[in-house]
Amino acid sequence: MSPPSPRRGTVTIAVSFLVALMLTALPLPHWAEPWRPAWVTLVLAYWVLALPHRVGVGVGWGLGLLLDVLTGALLGQHALSLSLVAFLALRLHQRLRVLSPWEQGVSIFLLVVLDRALSLWVTGIQGMPTEARAIWAPALTSTLLWPWLFVVLRDVRRRYQVS
Amino acid sequence: MAFVLASLVLMTVDHRYRHLEVVRAGLSVLVLPLQLAVNAPFQLAQWASDRLATRRSLMDENARLRAERLLIDARLGRFSDLEAENRRLRELLDSSSRVGERVLVAEVMAVDMDPFSHKILLNRGSRDGAFLGQPLIDANGVMGQVVHVTPFSSTALLVTDPNHALPVQVTRNGLRAIAIGRGVSSGLELAHMPLNADVRVDDLVVTSGLDGRFPSGYPVGRVSQVRLDTGRPFAEVRVEPSAHMERNREVLLVWGAGQGPGEVARTPANPGKGL
């Protein structure tokens, strides 16, 4: 098999990010809203762990900017938290890769907590009321979702031979 | 590190100044297809329920609407008479007369925004004449104002957001106050009301128009709670908004007197000052 070209699968990665952004904007019933998994953070973490040479801090930053515009948040708020998430995932990807998806979930929990906490910190500085549940509720659902998302995205990656 | 710095600079600039509106508008156009895609299934459901209605229920609805319209027409007849009389009296008093405001129906898109701020996305943008700071109402009262405009969509901040303040007036006695969003649950609070202020539960609160942005006289809400705590410097007055913040699909964008969609498009640099 010939070595795949380095540009291969950019569309696949972009589409997965688009789907994550759409899931973030999908209206949920009021009670379920705080429990919405951090879709973009999860997908970003997966791609950083799987392809650290292609998806890195810059992608995280750009994605965060799109998320800011999508949610009408302060420009740069999600860019900050997502670039930090990408940075940490990049740093730890060697160690995280060898773990089973369930064990990775624990690290994902911490990543999402960091992501949410930074975002909440920024909203808090702007003088908006925040509650602690907004940190741990998405982290919890994201952790539970991670193994499934991992399997799905891995299949997608193999299917379209993204490397 | 550079990205962290860039984010911090972006946030500061976005929070303090208005320079980034262009960047935001550009990026918004990029995300708009996403938002439309998310909105599409809901639109489809709406369309289907419109199309698949039975003849019988349509006839019922028609009859109901006819009756309602008759009632409203009758009321409106009296209202236009009163309006004419009001204008005449104002001319006699030599005070500025109020000219009727123009409105445009906008649709709220089924897209969830940042859960910590109270914002909604509308399907009308600067191409339809929407401008920064434009008031937004529904059939029952004031909803908020436009904070970001792109050519095809706009974002509105609801009056229940903690960053939103609105000059209001109690109709019973003309007492002026500032209504600030409470943020946590939907509701407003009258800020800095002295303990001896004459406010009672169930008083109607309307916009005073002193900000030169919101037209005066639109209902904001009713006082739901007045708490007098002598240990505190101010009374705590809570207002339940009369607009249906979370249940609306259609809202109205308002152009004040002398502002038309065409006129506004020419002076986008000076939003909301033309009232």
Side-chain angles (χ1 to χ4, degrees):
Chain A
M1 195 180 123
S2 64
S5 69
R7 292 263 61 113
R8 181 156 194 168
T10 308
V11 175
T12 315
I13 299 178
V15 166
S16 70
F17 281 143
L18 286 185
V19 171
L21 285 172
M22 277 170 68
L23 284 171
T24 310
L26 192 73
L28 287 182
H30 198 67
W31 59 267
E33 211 168 292
W35 297 90
R36 182 200 300 277
W39 291 106
V40 178
T41 316
L42 286 178
V43 175
L44 177 70
Y46 174 80
W47 286 118
V48 173
L49 290 186
L51 308 167
H53 55 283
R54 289 187 64 178
V55 178
V57 182
V59 174
W61 191 78
L63 202 60
L65 218 53
L66 281 184
L67 193 58
D68 287 331
V69 175
L70 185 71
T71 58
L74 198 62
L75 222 52
Q77 173 182 334
H78 291 99
L80 173 68
S81 59
L82 282 184
S83 55
L84 274 175
V85 164
F87 173 73
L88 280 182
L90 211 56
R91 262 300 172 82
L92 301 173
H93 77 272
Q94 303 274 24
R95 279 180 238 176
L96 291 181
R97 265 177 177 181
V98 294
L99 301 175
S100 76
W102 284 105
E103 289 167 328
Q104 283 175 359
V106 179
S107 326
I108 293 300
F109 184 83
L110 292 177
L111 280 183
V112 176
V113 164
L114 173 80
D115 171 47
R116 290 289 106 173
L118 271 173
S119 267
L120 273 187
W121 182 54
V122 174
T123 39
I125 287 178
Q126 290 175 72
M128 292 188 212
T130 51
E131 29 182 346
R133 191 175 61 161
I135 296 183
W136 60 259
L140 212 62
T141 44
S142 302
T143 309
L144 292 176
L145 200 75
W146 172 257
W148 316 107
L149 191 83
F150 182 83
V151 171
V152 169
L153 281 177
R154 191 180 55 191
D155 285 351
V156 167
R157 182 168 61 85
R158 289 188 181 155
R159 174 88 193 271
Y160 295 98
Q161 294 173 5
V162 186
S163 57
Chain B
M1 206 59 225
F3 289 112
V4 171
L5 271 181
S7 313
L8 289 178
V9 169
L10 265 184
M11 281 193 279
T12 321
V13 174
D14 193 25
H15 192 53
R16 299 263 163 207
Y17 313 103
R18 289 233 158 259
H19 302 315
L20 284 176
E21 277 307 314
V22 185
V23 181
R24 189 187 279 277
L27 285 171
S28 295
V29 173
L30 266 181
V31 251
L32 187 67
L34 273 180
Q35 291 168 328
L36 286 176
V38 169
N39 189 39
F42 295 89
Q43 197 113 43
L44 191 71
Q46 184 93 19
W47 180 82
S49 79
D50 282 354
R51 285 301 143 99
L52 301 177
T54 59
R55 193 178 122 87
R56 165 126 211 148
S57 70
L58 280 179
M59 277 165 68
D60 282 354
E61 194 182 346
N62 216 332
R64 192 171 50 77
L65 288 176
R66 237 178 252 272
E68 220 172 270
R69 184 168 153 215
L70 195 66
L71 266 175
I72 290 175
D73 269 355
R75 221 174 290 163
L76 207 63
R78 212 180 52 196
F79 178 72
S80 67
D81 192 43
L82 282 176
E83 202 180 18
E85 183 181 329
N86 193 314
R87 200 175 308 139
R88 227 169 29 243
L89 289 173
R90 271 174 193 277
E91 267 163 24
L92 282 179
L93 288 172
D94 217 17
S95 69
S96 63
S97 63
R98 276 194 253 167
V99 187
E101 285 101 15
R102 297 182 34 200
V103 294
L104 176 72
V105 178
E107 207 169 286
V108 179
M109 285 170 70
V111 173
D112 268 7
M113 307 292 274
D114 189 10
F116 303 109
S117 58
H118 296 220
K119 285 178 184 162
I120 51 175
L121 189 72
L122 305 173
N123 69 342
R124 301 285 185 177
S126 54
R127 285 205 333 171
D128 306 294
F131 57 91
L132 271 183
Q134 184 170 28
L136 186 72
I137 60 170
D138 76 350
N140 303 299
V142 175
M143 283 193 78
Q145 59 176 302
V146 173
V147 286
H148 303 303
V149 189
T150 73
F152 308 100
S153 66
S154 52
T155 311
L157 189 69
L158 298 181
V159 287
T160 48
D161 189 279
N163 278 333
H164 196 284
L166 181 70
V168 293
Q169 205 165 17
V170 178
T171 45
R172 189 167 50 81
N173 50 13
L175 185 72
R176 288 188 304 272
I178 303 281
I180 294 176
R182 291 185 53 231
V184 269
S185 58
S186 59
L188 296 119
E189 200 171 76
L190 298 189
H192 311 307
M193 291 301 275
L195 287 170
N196 60 358
D198 181 16
V199 183
R200 291 183 214 146
V201 171
D202 223 32
D203 275 352
L204 182 67
V205 176
V206 300
T207 51
S208 65
L210 286 177
D211 50 358
R213 182 169 283 195
F214 282 90
S216 62
Y218 278 109
V220 174
R222 284 194 179 273
V223 175
S224 61
Q225 191 188 5
V226 179
R227 211 160 72 198
L228 303 172
D229 185 351
T230 40
R232 297 223 209 143
F234 299 111
E236 197 182 318
V237 182
R238 291 191 179 171
V239 175
E240 195 63 37
S242 37
H244 295 170
M245 296 291 175
E246 270 141 26
R247 276 169 285 163
N248 274 323
R249 184 111 183 118
E250 265 118 27
V251 295
L252 297 171
L253 287 166
V254 184
W255 281 270
Q259 287 180 325
E263 261 167 299
V264 175
R266 265 190 280 121
T267 52
N270 189 17
K273 301 270 165 60
L275 274 167

